[in-house]
């Protein structure tokens, strides 16, 4: 049952006022705040005085306009430092594993753009053959589904530099062996919105990865789903990608404000 006590109504009104003022982008008059928040002038005044007393708001003595203070930034910074995004996304990884009945992992690009690192995972308990990831270990980008996502946003020069520094080894008959083959693969990644590792470093194993974007549209992390070729049939991958993206949409909706921060995913 919804709690409609006076104290909870006051909190609800205070939160609405804070949201209105934060979205305004400029100092506001009392009547503007009250009107846009849907409260009376007297209620808005009482709430503003409480915010001012606690240093969350201030009033300009000359213009009488109200604005929020940087104390909100301090609170947000504390939340950011104590709760990195890779912790926030873990329940979504669990849901992906439950929905697809496959192991999945959260991966990021290492600081030198040289490899991909798994920083979290969820293991399917229902599969007889289970995939485990080496958390904290670096893997070459071009033989890794998540790595290909990061490579897909490299400039031509950065990609050429990467190819010069890394050997193309024939780990399996399906391994990528030249820069031109890699570039062809990366064009496909960009077109389809996900990447695939189809038995390229181990026969019988398949993996696809879906990007996590920051507020600028840059890939800041990825979620990879791994299994055998029988557990991940090629024809079912688009439907699986749709499931993962639908779950990520809820992550974006809830935590979008955090995605403006560089290196949001700690490892």
């Amino acid at each position: 049952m919804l709690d409609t006590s006076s104290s909870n109504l006051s909190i609800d009104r205070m939160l609405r006022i804070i949201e209105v003022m934060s979205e305004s982008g400029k100092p506001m008059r009392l009547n503007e705040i009250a009107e846009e928040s849907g409260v009376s002038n007297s209620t808005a005044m009482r709430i503003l005085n409480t915010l001012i007393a606690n240093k969350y708001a201030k009033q300009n003595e000359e213009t009488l306009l109200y604005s929020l203070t940087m104390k909100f930034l301090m609170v947000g910074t504390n939340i950011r430092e104590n709760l990195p995004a890779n912790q926030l996304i873990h329940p979504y990884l669990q849901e992906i594993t439950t929905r697809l009945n496959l192991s999945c992992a959260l991966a990021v690009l290492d600081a030198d753009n040289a490899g991909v690192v798994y920083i979290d995972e969820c293991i399917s308990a229902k599969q007889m053959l289970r995939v485990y990831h080496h958390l904290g270990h670096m893997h070459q980008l071009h033989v890794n589904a998540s790595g290909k996502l990061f490579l897909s946003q490299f400039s031509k020069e950065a990609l050429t530099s990467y190819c010069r520094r890394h050997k193309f080894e024939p780990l399996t008959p399906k391994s990528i062996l030249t820069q031109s083959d890699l570039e062809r693969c990366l064009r496909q990644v960009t077109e389809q919105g996900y990447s695939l590792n189809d038995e390229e470093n181990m026969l019988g194993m398949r993996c696809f990865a879906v990007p996590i974007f920051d507020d600028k549209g840059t890939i800041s992390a990825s979620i990879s789903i791994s299994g055998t070729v029988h557990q991940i049939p090629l024809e079912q991958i688009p439907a699986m990608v749709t499931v993962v993206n639908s779950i990520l949409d809820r992550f974006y909706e809830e935590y979008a404000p955090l995605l403006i921060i560089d290196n949001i995913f700690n490892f």
Side-chain angles (χ1 to χ4, degrees):
M1 178 181 291
L2 183 65
D3 190 343
T4 57
S5 64
S6 59
S7 61
N8 280 286
L9 287 174
S10 295
I11 293 172
D12 180 72
R13 290 164 179 163
M14 177 180 287
L15 292 174
R16 292 209 306 271
I17 284 175
I18 291 171
E19 289 175 352
V20 164
M21 295 177 70
S22 67
E23 292 169 359
S24 171
K26 64 181 187 305
M28 302 178 70
R29 298 186 181 280
L30 174 64
N31 63 330
E32 292 176 328
I33 296 171
E35 181 179 352
E36 294 189 29
S37 303
V39 302
S40 65
N41 280 15
S42 60
T43 297
M45 173 66 78
R46 186 181 71 254
I47 291 173
L48 286 166
N49 285 338
T50 299
L51 291 171
I52 290 171
N54 289 278
K55 303 187 186 305
Y56 283 100
K58 61 184 178 180
Q59 183 184 31
N60 187 293
E61 294 182 358
E62 295 183 1
T63 65
L64 301 183
L65 298 178
Y66 294 90
S67 58
L68 300 178
T69 69
M70 297 298 284
K71 190 172 182 179
F72 280 103
L73 180 60
M74 180 187 71
V75 171
T77 299
N78 289 338
I79 293 173
R80 161 67 186 92
E81 291 179 349
N82 292 310
L83 198 59
N86 47 302
Q87 293 180 28
L88 298 176
I89 204 170
H90 187 78
Y92 298 90
L93 296 181
Q94 292 176 318
E95 183 176 351
I96 291 169
T97 291
T98 300
R99 292 276 299 275
L100 298 181
N101 197 20
L102 291 165
S103 297
C104 71
L106 178 67
V108 296
L109 188 64
D110 90 306
D112 296 323
N113 293 347
V116 65
V117 181
Y118 293 115
I119 60 175
D120 196 9
E121 68 177 345
C122 284
I123 307 299
S124 174
K126 295 182 179 181
Q127 293 285 5
M128 184 174 295
L129 293 175
R130 303 170 189 174
V131 176
Y132 293 84
H133 303 83
H134 297 289
L135 300 185
H137 291 262
M138 190 169 69
H139 304 269
Q140 291 192 85
L141 297 174
H142 66 280
V143 296
N144 182 282
S146 292
K148 290 179 184 178
L149 284 177
F150 294 116
L151 284 174
S152 70
Q153 61 183 3
F154 276 28
S155 67
K156 178 72 173 180
E157 294 75 16
L159 182 61
T160 298
S161 175
Y162 170 86
C163 291
R164 286 173 179 167
R165 290 182 284 112
H166 293 81
K167 292 182 178 180
F168 289 98
E169 298 178 336
L171 302 176
T172 76
K174 292 189 173 184
S175 296
I176 293 174
L177 298 179
T178 66
Q179 181 173 342
S180 60
D181 287 342
L182 178 59
E183 290 174 347
R184 189 181 307 110
C185 173
L186 297 180
R187 286 194 293 271
Q188 185 176 7
V189 169
T190 302
E191 292 170 2
Q192 64 192 14
Y194 66 88
S195 61
L196 178 65
N197 178 355
D198 187 15
E199 301 184 274
E200 293 166 35
N201 57 9
M202 184 179 296
L203 289 176
M205 301 302 297
R206 187 173 284 152
C207 175
F208 68 90
V210 176
I212 300 176
F213 295 102
D214 63 17
D215 67 312
K216 304 176 185 65
T218 301
I219 299 173
S220 58
S222 79
I223 293 178
S224 63
I225 292 83
S226 303
T228 68
V229 293
H230 301 292
Q231 293 168 343
I232 306 179
L234 287 174
E235 66 275 10
Q236 292 184 20
I237 290 178
M240 292 179 174
V241 169
T242 298
V243 171
V244 176
N245 281 329
S246 68
I247 294 171
L248 280 178
D249 284 343
R250 287 189 279 107
F251 171 75
Y252 289 132
E253 183 177 353
E254 186 166 4
Y255 296 114
L258 284 177
L259 297 176
I260 67 172
I261 304 171
D262 292 336
N263 302 319
I264 185 66
F265 294 95
N266 293 339
F267 72 99

